[in-house]
Amino acid sequence: MTRFQMAGWQAAGLIAGVALAAPVSAETIDRVLAVVAGQLIMMSDVVAVRDLGIVPPAAGGDPVGSVLTKLVDRELMLVEVDRYAPPEPEDAEIDREVAAVRSRFPSEKAFGDVLARSGFDAAHVREIVRQNLRLRAYLDQRFTAPDGDERRRQTLIDDWIVGLRRRTPVINLYKP
């Protein structure tokens, strides 16, 4: 071990000792709710997409849990989407979807307030919208039901997601 490595280990030990000896009065800033294929889903993510109306909660029940479930499913599907790389959505289509998100708010200030609370910015919202459009294109390409039967199509998608959950590591840490 070199002198520099030894000094590094000594410094790390000193920092660890001080950290353990110091009284802990930490404030929780955010919370990991789930880990999907190595990707973290934080409480702030759930609150932001819910407040922005990007992922609405299911009627009744636990709004955090229902949005989290949708975000877990979304992350599982995006892993597959990235494997098959559907075409990128047009900028105009992304702009329309971002405008739809903004239109849910009575003013630009109200929209900005939600962004500020969530730690998101307009570029982050645009990226979420872009991913959602890619996901929609993938689902439209892969899952078609005869005679336009939307219930049958949704059943096919739901079965596919169950399969994704079986073969992809998902750690759900959320306790209502």
Side-chain angles (χ1 to χ4, degrees):
M1 187 177 284
T2 70
R3 183 178 59 172
F4 295 111
Q5 289 171 325
M6 182 64 80
W9 281 106
Q10 290 170 340
L14 177 62
I15 292 169
V18 169
L20 291 174
V24 177
S25 63
E27 177 184 342
T28 302
I29 296 171
D30 208 345
R31 198 171 119 199
V32 175
L33 296 184
V35 183
V36 181
Q39 296 295 316
L40 300 178
I41 298 176
M42 308 295 291
M43 176 64 109
S44 59
D45 298 325
V46 170
V47 170
V49 297
R50 181 197 65 204
D51 291 353
L52 289 167
I54 295 171
V55 179
D62 177 16
V64 171
S66 70
V67 171
L68 176 61
T69 297
K70 292 174 185 177
L71 286 180
V72 167
D73 291 348
R74 178 183 182 273
E75 194 61 45
L76 289 168
M77 291 185 284
L78 283 172
V79 169
E80 288 294 301
V81 168
D82 287 341
R83 288 179 54 204
Y84 295 102
E88 284 294 321
E90 298 289 326
D91 284 340
E93 189 177 13
I94 297 171
D95 292 342
R96 274 192 304 277
E97 292 291 322
V98 170
V101 171
R102 285 182 175 207
S103 74
R104 295 181 185 118
F105 297 88
S107 68
E108 194 62 33
K109 181 186 178 328
F111 176 67
D113 289 347
V114 170
L115 291 179
R117 275 194 313 272
S118 69
F120 282 18
D121 60 12
H124 195 124
V125 171
R126 187 173 179 80
E127 178 58 19
I128 291 169
V129 164
R130 184 189 74 80
Q131 290 173 343
N132 285 350
L133 289 169
R134 289 179 69 235
L135 178 56
R136 187 182 314 156
Y138 177 83
L139 293 174
D140 288 346
Q141 178 185 9
R142 179 163 179 191
F143 297 100
T144 57
D147 303 325
D149 184 352
E150 280 303 310
R151 284 190 318 191
R152 174 73 179 132
R153 179 178 185 264
Q154 190 58 54
T155 299
L156 293 170
I157 293 170
D158 293 344
D159 291 345
W160 175 62
I161 292 170
V162 167
L164 292 175
R165 281 181 174 268
R166 272 196 308 264
R167 67 178 187 260
T168 308
V170 175
I171 302 168
N172 189 337
L173 304 170
Y174 176 64
K175 303 284 186 253

